[in-house]
Amino acid sequence: MVAEEIAHLQKLQEYDLKILVLKNRLDALPLGVARLQGEAEEKKKEVEEKKKIIQNAELAQRKLELELQEKEEQIKKFQLQLNEAKTNKEYTVFLHEIEEAKKENSLKESKILEMMSEQDTLRRDEEKEQILLKEANEKFLEKKKEAAAEMETLKSQLREEEGRRKLLAVDIAEAALSLYERVRKTKKNGLVIAQIKDGTCSGCFMKLPSTVVENVKKGKDFVLCENCSTILYLAEQ
Ligand SMILES: [Zn+2]
């Protein structure tokens, strides 16, 4: 009687382990997709930040160009005043103003050139980041598609295994089944029933007392490992 139920429980455990693997895979799949989505979002943020930096650099350049233009206007005015200077002193003053303004503008012009070169570097960086973003997005979408397809397969396999398990469970005696379920609730790895090999529990690899092995041999009742609480059986049963 016990021997027959042990054979059932072995089969039941086989299904349960398959179900466990399928469920773990089903749980893990969305995590992988979410990780790639997070990476793509991170890349998008980087590109947007780079764009903002470029925009600010362009604004700063435009401001400087405007200042340069104003200064040019000023130089023209000084030039007119210079031409109409009535005294040497006035002439010297305007000439000095013009020279100062030209010096300032020359500095501004080199600054603008520097800014333009910096922006070229920034734009090249942005292009590279755009490519990385595109790649990250493609990777994410591909994984999403793959995961969706795999999940469908896994779900159908799961339904199949659960169907088999249900059919088998109907044939198992109530006491054996409830013992199995009780033990199963305490086992994260799904190992509910374990074979005795060389007097050792193959669930926890502890040497079993000979009385325990004897009780299993008698086959009158279910015997649990005192250490790991798995249901024990012997191969010859
Ligand atoms: Zn054990």
Side-chain angles (χ1 to χ4, degrees):
M1 194 56 192
V2 167
E4 191 189 323
E5 295 307 332
I6 285 287
H8 278 147
L9 295 186
Q10 272 178 273
K11 195 76 197 154
L12 195 64
Q13 168 158 285
E14 202 180 289
Y15 292 150
D16 278 341
L17 287 176
K18 275 187 201 161
I19 288 168
L20 191 67
V21 168
L22 290 169
K23 279 184 174 168
N24 284 343
R25 182 76 189 137
L26 272 169
D27 286 345
L29 272 175
L31 298 180
V33 177
R35 189 176 54 79
L36 290 179
Q37 185 175 20
E39 281 174 16
E41 276 162 11
E42 202 57 44
K43 288 272 179 299
K44 197 177 170 196
K45 242 187 255 167
E46 281 168 27
V47 168
E48 273 161 13
E49 272 165 30
K50 189 67 85 185
K51 273 186 180 161
K52 227 175 260 168
I53 292 172
I54 292 170
Q55 271 176 8
N56 287 337
E58 283 169 350
L59 278 178
Q61 186 191 331
R62 234 167 284 153
K63 192 170 164 262
L64 207 59
E65 281 168 349
L66 218 65
E67 285 173 19
L68 187 80
Q69 212 182 325
E70 278 169 14
K71 220 31 152 189
E72 291 292 349
E73 297 297 326
Q74 230 176 10
I75 291 172
K76 271 183 207 159
K77 271 183 205 159
F78 285 139
Q79 201 75 53
L80 284 177
Q81 284 168 313
L82 183 79
N83 293 344
E84 285 161 13
K86 295 201 173 59
T87 64
N88 261 348
K89 199 185 166 197
E90 266 182 18
Y91 185 87
T92 317
V93 168
F94 289 129
L95 196 62
H96 177 72
E97 291 289 351
I98 289 169
E99 276 167 9
E100 283 304 307
K102 279 185 174 168
K103 242 187 260 173
E104 257 182 64
N105 267 7
S106 155
L107 283 177
K108 282 194 169 78
E109 275 165 3
S110 7
K111 182 69 190 161
I112 288 169
L113 287 177
E114 208 179 289
M115 284 171 131
M116 285 166 85
S117 143
E118 274 169 18
Q119 281 169 49
D120 280 346
T121 312
L122 286 170
R123 282 194 196 96
R124 273 198 298 275
D125 285 352
E126 195 222 328
E127 273 169 31
K128 278 181 209 155
E129 273 165 23
Q130 288 276 18
I131 292 169
L132 291 178
L133 168 62
K134 193 167 168 269
E135 283 171 0
N137 263 330
E138 282 168 359
K139 226 165 123 185
F140 157 58
L141 290 175
E142 197 183 324
K143 179 79 178 175
K144 195 176 155 190
K145 208 171 125 193
E146 268 176 27
E150 193 181 343
M151 275 172 103
E152 279 315 303
T153 311
L154 289 170
K155 276 181 195 164
S156 104
Q157 285 172 343
L158 188 62
R159 275 193 300 272
E160 238 171 71
E161 291 300 332
E162 281 174 342
R164 284 189 188 128
R165 186 199 197 275
K166 211 171 169 181
L167 277 181
L168 175 66
V170 172
D171 285 341
I172 303 175
E174 181 59 35
L177 191 61
S178 70
L179 172 67
Y180 177 91
E181 293 298 1
R182 219 162 49 238
V183 175
R184 188 161 78 103
K185 279 199 185 94
T186 67
K187 303 284 189 182
K188 273 194 182 140
N189 63 2
L191 199 73
V192 181
I193 172 161
Q195 194 182 344
I196 299 173
K197 284 175 186 160
D198 300 324
T200 301
C201 164
S202 60
C204 65
F205 305 105
M206 289 281 281
K207 191 87 187 153
L208 296 162
S210 53
T211 50
V212 170
V213 181
E214 280 310 309
N215 282 338
V216 176
K217 246 180 218 166
K218 277 180 204 156
K220 278 189 184 154
D221 212 342
F222 292 104
V223 181
L224 302 187
C225 169
E226 289 168 352
N227 182 52
C228 71
S229 304
T230 17
I231 302 167
L232 296 167
Y233 70 93
L234 278 159
E236 52 266 37
Q237 273 186 314

